Amino acid sequence: MMEFSPSLVGCVISEANHSFEMVRRSRECVINLPQADLVDVVVGIGNSSGAEVDKFERFGLTADVAERVRAPLIRECYANFECRLADDRLIDDYNFFIWKVVKAHAALSPKYPKTLHYTGDGVFMVSGGNISRRRLFRPEML
Amino acid sequence: MMEFSPSLVGCVISEANHSFEMVRRSRECVINLPQADLVDVVVGIGNSSGAEVDKFERFGLTADVAERVRAPLIRECYANFECRLADDRLIDDYNFFIWKVVKAHAALSPKYPKTLHYTGDGVFMVSGGNISRRRLFRPEML
């Protein structure tokens, strides 16, 4: 997350990925946020190439039509962020894309999804509990 | 994390922070990684200004001397990353700094620290369990 308003998200996409040239050319993408129960699908998707297989078919996922971009949403994910490229200055040097979220979709429950956070070496951290310290914040810092 | 070798880390530092001008001028910083038991200290640090108080004294923290930069390490943190500014191109537009980690320090245990992840509105997510799917990865994807 690089900015809240407008909503800017930065991410690295390896130039070895089939997605790299697709999103660089189209200047659009959808970022899909899976929950932990999809971990095997996440690993399968990351270890195959869209140049060789239809990943929706292979992994039993449903493509929904997006509102603001041509790329599809993955229905089975907790949230989907339709994005347009906001800044391409760091793509050549770092494969780093800065996206503007132009439409966001998120499930209403659970309030706190079990999210996956890759830590390397085949291991994912799963989001745990939550701690609120709202009362200790100055209002403008929340 | 933007790259592994060299180790590059990108982060936004609000221009409202006392740290912003300090690190922009010195082109150095230390990124300190606290565990969840320091949550009240983290919130206190984020809701006060180094222009007004000595945060080490106020929050009972110990400053250790770094090896490669002039900024101090926080001894009570699980890990410390000594950094030099690698790219300043996005500071003016996004307050986004790209750092090269020139020296890393990390505790040997626990293997999986309880880390804090701010989600907004005064709420932190704490890292939960781990899932290994190493056997499902192609070796070059790990």
Side-chain angles (χ1 to χ4, degrees), chain A residues 1-2 8 12 36 39-40 43 46-48 86-87 89-90 93-94 96 98 112 115-119 121-134 136-138 141-142, chain B residues 1-2 8 12 36 39-40 43 46-48 86-87 89-90 93-94 96 98 112 115-119 121-134 136-138 141-142:
Chain A
M1 203 76 213
M2 294 179 62
L8 297 180
V12 172
V39 64
D40 289 347
V43 174
N47 284 273
S48 59
D87 196 316
R89 273 181 284 175
L90 298 192
D93 285 350
Y94 306 107
F96 188 74
I98 300 176
Y112 296 113
T115 49
L116 291 167
H117 306 261
Y118 190 61
T119 66
D121 208 31
V123 175
F124 296 83
M125 180 272 278
V126 180
S127 58
N130 291 280
I131 299 174
S132 177
R133 287 295 184 274
R134 189 179 165 83
L136 299 180
F137 278 68
R138 286 190 280 133
M141 301 298 288
L142 281 169
Chain B
M1 203 77 211
M2 293 179 64
L8 298 180
V12 172
V39 63
D40 288 347
V43 175
N47 285 273
S48 59
D87 196 316
R89 273 181 286 176
L90 298 192
D93 284 351
Y94 306 108
F96 188 73
I98 299 176
Y112 296 113
T115 49
L116 290 166
H117 305 262
Y118 190 60
T119 65
D121 209 29
V123 175
F124 295 83
M125 180 272 277
V126 180
S127 59
N130 291 280
I131 299 174
S132 177
R133 287 294 183 275
R134 189 179 166 83
L136 299 181
F137 278 68
R138 288 190 280 133
M141 302 298 287
L142 282 168

Side-chain angles (χ1 to χ4, degrees), chain B residues 8-84:
Chain B
L8 298 180
V9 176
C11 73
V12 172
I13 301 173
S14 167
E15 63 194 359
N17 289 0
H18 182 61
S19 307
F20 180 85
E21 278 301 333
M22 288 176 67
V23 301
R24 183 153 79 160
R25 285 180 191 159
S26 69
R27 303 176 74 86
E28 295 182 344
C29 78
V30 175
I31 298 174
N32 296 286
L33 185 74
Q35 290 198 75
D37 57 354
L38 286 179
V39 63
D40 288 347
V41 169
V42 169
V43 175
I45 284 174
N47 285 273
S48 59
S49 174
E52 293 163 8
V53 297
D54 178 329
K55 296 190 187 187
F56 282 93
E57 186 179 336
R58 168 77 67 92
F59 297 105
L61 299 172
T62 312
D64 279 338
V65 176
E67 289 185 28
R68 306 282 306 274
V69 302
R70 293 185 186 182
L73 314 176
I74 299 175
R75 186 184 299 175
E76 288 75 11
C77 283
Y78 178 83
N80 318 94
F81 304 98
E82 301 182 23
C83 300
R84 292 221 179 94

